[in-house]
Amino acid sequence: MTVDAVLTAADASSFLARANARMLDVSIEADRAAWAQATHITAETEEFAADRQADKVSATMELAAEAARFERTVLPDDLARQLSLIKLAVRLPGPRAVEAQVELTRTVAALEAQFGKGRYDGRDLGELSVVMAERRDPDALLDAWRGWRTVAPPMREPFARYVALANRGARDLGFADLGALWRSGYDMAAADFAAEMDRLWLQIKPLYDALHAYTRAGLGRAYGQGAVAAGGLIPAHLLGNMWSDSWGNVYPLLATAGRAEGVDLTSLLRARDVDPVEMVRFGERFFTSLGFDPLPVSFWDRSLFTKPPDRDVMCHPTAWDIDADADLRLSMCIETTADDFMTVHHELGHHMYFRAYRDQPFLYRDGANDGFHEAIGEAITLSMTPGYLREVGLLDEEPADGQDVPLLLRTALDRVPYLAFGLALDKWRWKVFSGEVTPADYNAAWWDLARTYQRIAPPVPRSESDFDAAAKYHVAANVPVVPYCIALILQFQFHRAFARASGFTGPLHRFSVYGDRSAGEKLDAMLAMGRSRPWPEALFALTGEREMDPTALLEYFAPLQRWLEEQNSGHVVA
């Protein structure tokens, strides 16, 4: 075709066949290289992964430029949708200049490797996270919290360079900046998406505020009012988690008015000597109970389930779809804990999605939107009820119905705080990408948002010599976190849809979809759509609803919210 040729739908169809094939090839090569880096971090694997990612970025940018030639061509919806998705197919858009693309991908690979190799006092993130989760000595918690953040300041300069280069790439694709590109992947305008996230947050904020006030009071009792001021912000190092994005580990410190303490899944797993491989087998059996096929033999041969003693690896849990067909893998340093039990189920949800849409064109081999991919496994973990644990032999006897509050409290502590964290982190990045926040103000801007959304405070003074946002993997690795916030909403919608379809009439938090093959068929049909249709259509196929709806989450936690309001009576909440 020449520049002046009149382009037709047939031309677009031919181009898309070629584009899908090329993007599949470069993605497979990039994923293989990224796997090598993630499971054996060296200078060589870092460079290899960066170069293959550069090939992927280069190919995508070339195809996006060619796709733009069809902007005035009248096309069927399917072809028009695939063309629009080419621009959204890469989360790391490189500038048109090849040397700048190489610099960008090597910068991000170096950031990710630096995070993965991070140590403080000889301890890696996993070891420091155990301190945060299990120790009750404020000095030890502060040491771990502050110590991990010493890994981040050297990332500040390369991060700023990554921002500049990725923004150039986003502008070459027609977006204002990288944040605008990220927000454009939801079948709505970027500005409308930002407003949608604010709408969802405001609906859930009363529950978050009640949970925050109750947690703050419990930590005040545990550590003293001198450490946790009544009515104020919570010191970030006391919430049982390195980033205060999940508070379940402080559950034992929060008295529940004489009620039984619910189910201690970690103790149940350890009492039965459940090892990492068996943790994954539990997850596989849950999905096969819904009618999904077992994982391939190669999954068990090629995955990484435990941290090797002889090399650096990226322990961040990741589901891999290496060849967009049958080569599925998991990389995760699994510990026998309730958190990791849930995380395994979450990651296997990605694998079920991968397999369901593998017959789609490459451009449709993705979740209906980014939040869908994260929501599938999370919806399954909502079915980890006492009834399910009893059915699979982990629990001898279910707690009485009157013990719902402890169960709901633990679940809320695990999940609800992520919405505040995720919004704070990605709003910070959106401001960084737009230029509203400059490198001179990185840390101050981060803590302003953390105070506003999470209502937490740094336990020690911080300055611009620190770079605390980069203490989270997703910042180093160029991974948006708002999809996890969307998943927080969608998982409860999916769970409610499963319950309704099964005819369940009890409290939503008591329902488990385990063993329901009819629900599994309906789920698989939605997953198989991939990204071939706008996400409201995929949502409707499973739930009968076309909007993200926080009322399912609020219905699930309604008994807890009433109880929290009683406990918080007379105390400052917001």
Side-chain angles (χ1 to χ4, degrees):
M1 291 182 293
T2 67
V3 173
D4 296 325
V6 176
L7 301 178
T8 66
D11 294 326
S13 181
S14 176
F15 163 71
L16 284 167
R18 176 167 53 85
N20 274 293
R22 186 178 180 194
M23 292 179 73
L24 174 61
D25 288 343
V26 296
S27 292
I28 289 173
E29 292 303 313
D31 284 347
R32 286 174 174 162
W35 170 267
Q37 181 195 11
T39 56
H40 192 178
I41 301 173
T42 67
E44 290 76 16
T45 60
E46 178 185 326
E47 182 176 347
F48 181 57
D51 288 348
R52 299 293 76 74
Q53 181 65 23
D55 293 341
K56 180 178 177 179
V57 169
S58 178
T60 303
M61 298 299 290
E62 289 176 19
L63 292 168
E66 191 170 349
R69 301 179 64 204
F70 294 92
E71 288 180 354
R72 296 184 180 182
T73 306
V74 178
L75 298 171
D77 289 346
D78 177 62
L79 298 183
R81 182 169 180 80
Q82 289 190 59
L83 287 168
S84 69
L85 288 175
I86 290 178
K87 294 195 297 183
L88 302 172
V90 59
R91 286 284 177 263
L92 186 64
R96 289 198 176 97
V98 174
E99 63 274 12
Q101 292 174 6
V102 172
E103 182 187 0
L104 173 61
T105 53
R106 290 192 175 184
T107 298
V108 173
L111 284 167
E112 191 169 357
Q114 192 166 3
F115 186 97
K117 294 184 290 187
R119 297 288 188 278
Y120 168 66
D121 194 24
R123 295 172 291 176
D124 62 18
L125 177 58
E127 293 166 310
L128 293 168
S129 294
V130 170
V131 174
M132 299 296 295
E134 299 181 358
R135 294 288 295 275
R136 299 294 180 243
D137 175 3
D139 291 337
L141 296 173
L142 177 59
D143 180 64
W145 186 94
R146 183 164 49 186
W148 176 246
R149 280 157 179 77
T150 63
V151 172
M155 300 182 195
R156 189 184 186 105
E157 185 174 340
F159 177 84
R161 183 58 179 161
Y162 137 78
V163 169
L165 291 168
N167 272 344
R168 280 171 51 189
R171 286 192 290 271
D172 285 345
L173 289 174
F175 298 96
D177 54 60
L178 182 57
L181 186 157
W182 286 1
R183 296 191 300 277
S184 297
Y186 294 91
D187 296 301
M188 64 179 75
D192 292 341
F193 175 73
E196 177 72 351
M197 294 310 301
D198 289 337
R199 176 184 73 85
L200 298 173
W201 165 245
L202 290 175
Q203 286 186 255
I204 295 175
K205 187 175 183 294
L207 172 60
Y208 181 85
D209 288 343
L211 188 66
H212 182 279
Y214 179 75
T215 302
R216 180 180 59 210
L219 293 175
R221 290 190 297 269
Y223 294 112
Q225 292 299 320
V228 186
L233 306 178
I234 299 176
H237 68 307
L238 299 181
L239 284 162
N241 171 277
M242 189 61 78
W243 310 279
S244 307
D245 61 0
S246 176
W247 305 345
N249 290 320
V250 301
Y251 171 81
L253 300 179
L254 309 181
T256 51
R259 297 169 182 255
E261 291 307 301
V263 175
D264 184 348
L265 179 54
T266 296
S267 296
L268 294 176
L269 293 166
R270 291 175 178 173
R272 287 159 178 76
D273 295 322
V274 177
D275 64 14
V277 173
E278 185 60 17
M279 297 261 281
V280 184
R281 290 290 186 188
F282 268 105
E284 180 188 46
R285 288 193 292 269
F286 197 108
F287 283 100
T288 57
S289 85
L290 302 180
F292 290 89
D293 291 336
L295 291 160
V297 173
S298 60
F299 171 88
W300 303 98
D301 293 339
R302 298 171 182 173
S303 291
L304 184 147
F305 297 144
T306 57
K307 188 177 187 301
D310 60 341
R311 65 185 190 271
D312 287 319
V313 301
M314 186 64 66
C315 281
H316 181 79
T318 305
W320 297 78
D321 183 18
I322 298 294
D323 65 353
D325 184 18
D327 190 355
L328 306 174
R329 306 181 194 180
L330 172 66
S331 61
M332 179 177 173
C333 303
I334 301 173
E335 302 286 345
T336 303
T337 66
D339 285 348
D340 280 8
F341 187 79
M342 300 294 186
T343 299
V344 163
H345 286 75
H346 171 98
E347 297 303 327
L348 295 193
H350 291 300
H351 291 116
M352 300 306 126
Y353 220 153
F354 294 151
R355 289 200 299 189
Y357 58 53
R358 66 185 175 188
D359 292 331
Q360 293 278 4
F362 178 80
L363 285 162
Y364 289 158
R365 293 183 195 179
D366 202 350
N369 68 38
D370 290 345
F372 274 67
H373 236 305
E374 300 303 331
I376 299 305
E378 288 300 281
I380 294 303
T381 65
L382 291 173
S383 286
M384 309 285 104
T385 61
Y388 162 75
L389 297 177
R390 180 188 55 76
E391 190 166 350
V392 298
L394 289 173
L395 184 65
D396 295 329
E397 184 177 355
E398 293 182 53
D401 289 346
Q403 303 308 322
D404 284 359
V405 163
L407 295 168
L408 286 169
L409 178 60
R410 177 59 196 255
T411 304
L413 290 167
D414 281 334
R415 295 172 193 253
V416 175
Y418 200 96
L419 183 60
F421 167 79
L423 286 175
L425 187 60
D426 270 5
K427 280 178 177 284
W428 176 80
R429 284 192 284 188
W430 297 348
K431 290 173 181 285
V432 167
F433 296 141
S434 73
E436 181 180 345
V437 170
T438 67
D441 300 312
Y442 277 171
N443 220 45
W446 161 243
W447 281 108
D448 283 346
L449 287 162
R451 291 183 179 96
T452 298
Y453 284 92
Q454 292 182 273
R455 291 191 53 74
I456 62 171
V460 291
R462 311 303 284 168
S463 72
E464 291 305 326
S465 64
D466 302 303
F467 189 28
D468 293 331
K472 184 70 172 177
Y473 166 80
H474 300 72
V475 173
N478 184 59
V479 178
V481 295
V482 155
Y484 300 92
C485 301
I486 294 172
L488 180 69
I489 309 300
L490 292 176
Q491 65 188 262
F492 289 93
Q493 278 186 266
F494 295 168
H495 185 69
R496 182 170 67 182
F498 294 150
R500 287 173 173 174
S502 73
F504 182 79
T505 58
L508 194 55
H509 58 272
R510 285 275 173 173
F511 171 74
S512 177
V513 75
Y514 179 72
D516 189 336
R517 288 186 172 246
S518 63
E521 289 177 4
K522 197 169 185 179
L523 174 61
D524 188 47
M526 185 198 78
L527 301 182
M529 295 170 67
R531 204 165 191 171
S532 63
R533 302 298 303 160
W535 66 262
E537 294 184 30
L539 181 63
F540 184 81
L542 181 63
T543 68
E545 300 159 343
R546 296 186 185 274
E547 288 189 337
M548 292 184 281
D549 182 9
T551 63
L553 181 152
L554 297 174
E555 177 185 343
Y556 185 98
F557 288 117
L560 173 67
Q561 187 162 5
R562 288 192 294 270
W563 184 83
L564 288 172
E565 289 168 356
E566 294 171 2
Q567 304 305 307
N568 291 333
S569 178
H571 299 285
V572 175
V573 174

